[in-house]
Amino acid sequence: MINKLKQWKRKSSSEFDERYQELTNHPIPNHIAIIMDGNGRWAKKRALPRVAGHHEGMKVVRKITRLANELGVKTLTLYAFSTENWKRPKIEVDYLMKLPEEFLGTFLPELIEENVRVTMMGYEDSLPPHTLRAVHNAIEKTKDNDGMILNFALNYGARAEIVDAVKNVLKDVENGILDKNNLNEETFSNYLMTKELSDPDLLIRTSGEIRLSNFMLWQLAYTEFWFTETLWPDFDEQHLVEAIEAFQGRSRRFGGLQSEES
Ligand code: V0D
């Protein structure tokens, strides 16, 4: 058992056993995707530079990764950097691009220990070499792990992903690799960056924004959404549990053959 989770269990010991039991007795979402929003606002509220919020947000990635893994989540996708984020001040972008190195510098041994496989989706070409080096090293060192997949969306944009998929479909049709009559939802999805992954079952977005912001547009077609006002640096284990509980409540009511509130 992971230390941080033990700590959390101790903290809320009276309620914990029952709630954890209940949670793990119901289906845990296989794939959770999170839009980690509100780091800048968190910093502003404390009169800190925006980068302080990003740094605090990175610590939250660790604790949420630990809990997701502990709960048996199969894939955790985290939106770390969008193709739109390049519009931010250079100093902030430069700082963000150092976070993967810092994160992995201390956390990679634990990820290896916990059998987590690191993957990334996004456009690699415009990322700085030092960022790519750190991420590729983590991907390489964890490639044989068969536990949870920790998938970072880095320089990712969903419309560009779909347009690229279409281009590659056309290329394969031209080259006779794909018969156009065999193009369907399933074959198309093999041209997306998520071809190895299942579609997310649960999407979480923090910081009170109720929109998708060009995140996994194809893959989220049937996903349950959970929004919270909580800013990402304030997001903790309790919030993840709450989101999963909401997911379980909904899938119990609407899932399978049951109709609404029967
Ligand atoms: C800042 C909140 C971990 C969102 C979380 C490059 C914004 C902290 C990573 C990370 C960021 C990425 C790849 C990897 C290992 C770790 C990260 C970025 C921003 C943008 F292999 N946190 N994190 N990457 N933030």
Side-chain angles (χ1 to χ4, degrees), residues 32 94 118 141 144 173:
I32 300 179
D94 288 349
V118 176
K141 295 244 163 75
D144 296 323
V173 170

Side-chain angles (χ1 to χ4, degrees), residues 123 158-170 188 191-193:
Y123 293 93
R159 287 187 174 181
E161 176 192 34
I162 292 170
V163 171
D164 282 344
V166 170
K167 284 182 181 166
N168 285 318
V169 165
L170 291 172
F188 184 78
Y191 288 84
L192 297 169
M193 293 173 182

Side-chain angles (χ1 to χ4, degrees), residues 35-39 51 53-62 78-82 85 88 93 95-104 107 111 118-120 127 131 134-136 138-139 150-155 232-233:
I35 304 176
M36 307 180 290
D37 207 0
N39 304 287
V51 295
H54 296 316
H55 195 264
E56 199 64 23
M58 186 186 67
K59 296 194 215 157
V60 175
V61 171
R62 293 182 189 193
L78 300 175
Y79 205 4
F81 194 89
S82 80
N85 289 155
R88 293 180 180 179
V93 171
Y95 184 87
L96 285 166
M97 289 303 157
K98 289 181 194 146
L99 288 180
E101 287 146 284
E102 184 177 348
F103 179 92
L104 295 164
F107 199 46
L111 294 174
V118 176
T119 61
M120 93 154 251
L127 293 170
T131 309
V135 177
H136 283 158
I139 293 170
L150 177 58
N151 179 40
F152 286 99
L154 237 134
N155 196 24
W232 178 250

